[in-house]
Amino acid sequence: MQNSLRVGVIGAGHFGRYHALKIRDVARETLVGLFDPDSKRAAEVAQEAGCPVMTSVDDLLAVCDAVVVAAPAEFHFELAVQALRAGRHVLVEKPVAATLEQADFLVTLAQETGLVCQVGHLLRYSAEHKAITQRISRPLYIEATRIAPFKPRGTDVSVILDLMIHDLDLVLAIVESPIAQVDALGAAVSSAHEDIANARVRFENGCVATITASRISLKTERRMRLFSEEGYLSADFGKRELTMIGRERGMPLPGTGGFRRESISWKDSDSLYAEHEAFVAACLEGAPVVVDARAGRRALEAALAVADGIKTTRRRMELSGLIEAR
């Protein structure tokens, strides 16, 4: 059995740099090269990560077993296809593709080649995700908030594909039911795409999720709240803290008729490290892919449904005179 995975990184931007530096820490990964069309930026990140700069994607594919695709979202599909056709495993950042047809193609190509196509939905590898699913198995209502100050990075896509898709994927992983209906609204404030959005997702089993994402806020907040017959749970992904109010776990709460409170925090949880460890296990050992192309497609489908919901709501607002028609 192969003991080490030779990994290359395509893209030297914000996430590409993080991936390159993290690969150095994973015992069974070896960073063999990095490519970015911006040669100056590529040289800076490669020097920091301690790897050579490659002159093309083909040159990078020639020396690796697997690649991380951390290029802008519009290039995810074509780069993932190029890598899989070259016989290389792929860890592609979210969104997996731009359209459902492209996502379907990747699902099929990964199956036909027998290669790993893992999608970078980082929350699935967090300690909070594991703790949530251990405590809430039948959610009735979920509220997710992901807001942050404006940064130019990521504005090549809407806030739905930039930020909200993280929580959409996590909600889909928690709720084992198809989506029945999506109502959404959003607005483009500082870029050409929506910078703030809210979606109400109703599932066929009756569960409802309300998800808010913004990249024009004054503060950073990443929270999820869930309630069910099992209790109430609040997770703070920024502070890495979780609180559960129920009857099964934690310290008794006097005067509440038997309720208990459990509080947990994680100071040493590294989701990106866990993501790469899972990638290595899938590539070298054949372990199940935690977030495969099919899961990435489901998250993309939900995100596109939110985008369609925003368009429907905007038309309604234009017809009513609430906002001016574009």
Side-chain angles (χ1 to χ4, degrees):
M1 179 183 294
Q2 186 177 341
N3 293 322
S4 181
L5 189 71
R6 298 174 301 163
V7 184
V9 176
I10 304 174
H14 182 75
F15 282 111
R17 174 179 175 270
Y18 279 148
H19 280 290
L21 296 176
K22 189 59 59 179
I23 291 168
R24 298 185 313 177
D25 300 332
V26 178
R28 293 195 294 167
E29 281 187 324
T30 301
L31 182 62
V32 295
L34 180 147
F35 170 77
D36 192 292
D38 183 339
S39 58
K40 181 180 177 182
R41 173 64 180 175
E44 291 173 354
V45 175
Q47 182 177 14
E48 186 180 7
C51 72
V53 176
M54 311 306 287
T55 58
S56 69
V57 173
D58 286 332
D59 288 345
L60 180 62
L61 292 174
V63 298
C64 66
D65 306 308
V67 291
V68 175
V69 176
E74 62 184 300
F75 302 113
H76 286 183
F77 170 71
E78 63 181 72
L79 289 170
V81 169
Q82 183 177 352
L84 289 170
R85 283 178 168 166
R88 305 297 182 256
H89 302 292
V90 175
L91 196 172
V92 56
E93 270 298 337
K94 54 77 188 169
V96 63
T99 67
L100 293 182
E101 291 75 18
Q102 290 179 347
D104 286 335
F105 188 90
L106 282 176
V107 170
T108 301
L109 185 58
Q111 289 176 337
E112 290 176 348
T113 59
L115 295 166
V116 171
C117 184
Q118 180 173 310
V119 187
H121 288 287
L122 201 56
L123 279 184
R124 295 276 207 107
Y125 303 91
S126 69
E128 294 88 338
H129 169 239
K130 183 177 180 180
I132 289 170
T133 55
Q134 286 176 340
R135 288 159 177 80
I136 302 288
S137 60
R138 302 181 305 279
L140 306 176
Y141 178 75
I142 302 174
E143 179 183 275
T145 302
R146 183 172 293 262
I147 61 176
F150 180 79
K151 295 178 182 178
R153 177 191 61 79
T155 54
D156 56 322
V157 295
S158 72
V159 73
I160 306 163
L161 293 175
D162 181 26
L163 298 181
M164 184 182 282
I165 196 168
H166 284 293
D167 293 307
L168 284 168
D169 174 70
L170 191 52
V171 167
L172 292 170
I174 295 170
V175 182
E176 296 182 1
S177 177
I179 292 175
Q181 181 181 347
V182 175
D183 293 318
L185 65 149
V189 180
S190 298
S191 70
H193 307 283
E194 285 85 9
D195 296 301
I196 185 168
N198 174 270
R200 184 176 178 85
V201 182
R202 185 178 297 277
F203 292 87
E204 289 183 4
N205 67 358
C207 177
V208 173
T210 301
I211 306 172
T212 299
S214 169
R215 58 189 180 198
I216 54 170
S217 298
L218 295 177
K219 65 176 182 178
T220 297
E221 181 179 333
R222 292 173 290 160
R223 290 181 175 270
M224 182 171 283
R225 300 176 179 89
L226 308 89
F227 70 73
S228 73
E229 293 180 339
E230 298 154 296
Y232 167 80
L233 187 150
S234 175
D236 187 321
F237 292 98
K239 295 181 179 179
R240 294 178 175 175
E241 296 175 349
L242 180 148
T243 300
M244 173 81 177
I245 306 295
R247 295 186 180 274
E248 301 296 328
R249 299 169 179 261
M251 299 295 292
L253 289 173
T256 61
F259 285 104
R260 294 174 174 268
R261 174 181 175 138
E262 180 188 24
S263 296
I264 316 171
S265 63
W266 298 269
K267 301 305 179 188
D268 57 352
S269 173
D270 188 335
S271 300
L272 188 58
Y273 184 91
E275 180 181 54
H276 275 272
E277 285 272 272
F279 184 55
V280 172
C283 295
L284 297 185
E285 302 167 7
V289 183
V290 178
V291 188
D292 60 9
R294 195 178 299 278
R297 188 226 188 256
R298 192 179 179 211
L300 177 64
E301 183 178 27
L304 294 177
V306 171
D308 287 342
I310 289 175
K311 291 178 183 178
T312 299
T313 300
R314 182 175 183 85
R315 285 194 294 269
R316 189 180 302 123
M317 290 176 173
E318 290 173 348
L319 289 173
S320 72
L322 178 61
I323 59 175
E324 293 184 3
R326 289 178 179 173

